[in-house]
Amino acid sequence: MTNAHRINAGQHPVTDGMKDFFLFVEDDTEETGRLTVDVAARRIPAKFGLDPRRDVQVLAPMHRGPAGAGTLNGLLQQAVTPGRPDLAEKRFGGRVFRVGDKVTQIRNNYEKGENGVFNGTVGVVTSLDPVDQRLTVLTDEDEEVPYDFDELDELAHAYAVTIHRSQGSEYPAVVIPVTTGAWMMLQRNLLYTAVTRAKQLVVLVGSRKAIGQAVRTVSAGRRCTALDFRLAGARLSNG
C-alpha cells in the first residue's frame, strides 16, 4: 500500500484521486467523532456494500475523549443497532447488549467454546433470552458461544477499538479518527499500524494538522539518548 510506505517514511499520505484511501477533513474533535460514525455506519456500507459490523472497523488512537473508542462505541451502537421496543436488551455494568451488537472478548476464558475463547475474539450477538438469562455470540470463527448474563463482564462492544488493541488483526475497511485531542498518542508507528490493518479500504477522519503530527512523530520507544556516545566516552576515559 503506497500510503503505508509514505507514512513509514515520514511523509503525508496521498488522498487525492485514490480509490481505496480517503480523507474527510474535520478540525473539531466532537464533529470528527460524529463524522466517523456516519462514515462507518452509513457511507461505507452505501458506497462499497460492506457490512458495518463484519467488514468495517473503527480504530481510534485513544479510548477516552469525544473521538475515542469508548464514546464511538456508544454512538456506533445507536447508529447500527439502535434500541427498539420489540428488541430484547440487557444492561450490564454501564453497557447495553442487544441482538446484532458487535462485541469482543476482553479476557481469556479456557472454559468457553470448544477450545476456549480468547482476549480479542470478535463476534456478533445473535440471540438474547431474558428468561434463560443468556445471550449467544457468533464469533468470527463461526462458533456460537453462549454467555450467562453474569458473565457479561467478559464482553465489550467492538464497533470501535483502540489501534493498540487491533494489532495482529485485519479488516476489509478501517476508519481512523485522527484529532488534535489525541495529541500525545499521535505517532507514526500508531498511524502505520492502523492503516496496515485494512485489506481493502482506509478512511481517515480528522484534521490535517493532527495527521501531520502523527506522521512526523517517531515513537518515544526509539528515544535518542546518546547513551552509546556517553558509554564510548566513559570507556575512553577509563582506558
Side-chain angles (χ1 to χ4, degrees), residues 60-106:
M62 298 172 61
H63 183 77
R64 296 180 179 177
T71 298
L72 292 176
N73 262 319
L75 294 174
L76 284 159
Q77 184 190 36
Q78 290 174 30
V80 178
T81 316
R84 301 197 314 260
D86 62 331
L87 186 67
E89 60 181 41
K90 172 61 180 175
R91 294 184 177 272
F92 185 95
R95 302 186 181 110
V96 179
F97 292 95
R98 301 184 182 116
V99 172
D101 270 342
K102 183 177 185 177
V103 294
T104 182
Q105 177 82 12
I106 57 175

Side-chain angles (χ1 to χ4, degrees), residues 185-200:
M185 297 297 292
L186 295 179
Q187 298 173 354
R188 186 185 304 170
N189 65 326
L190 202 70
L191 185 58
Y192 176 82
T193 295
V195 165
T196 53
R197 298 309 90 201
K199 292 188 279 190
Q200 298 175 30

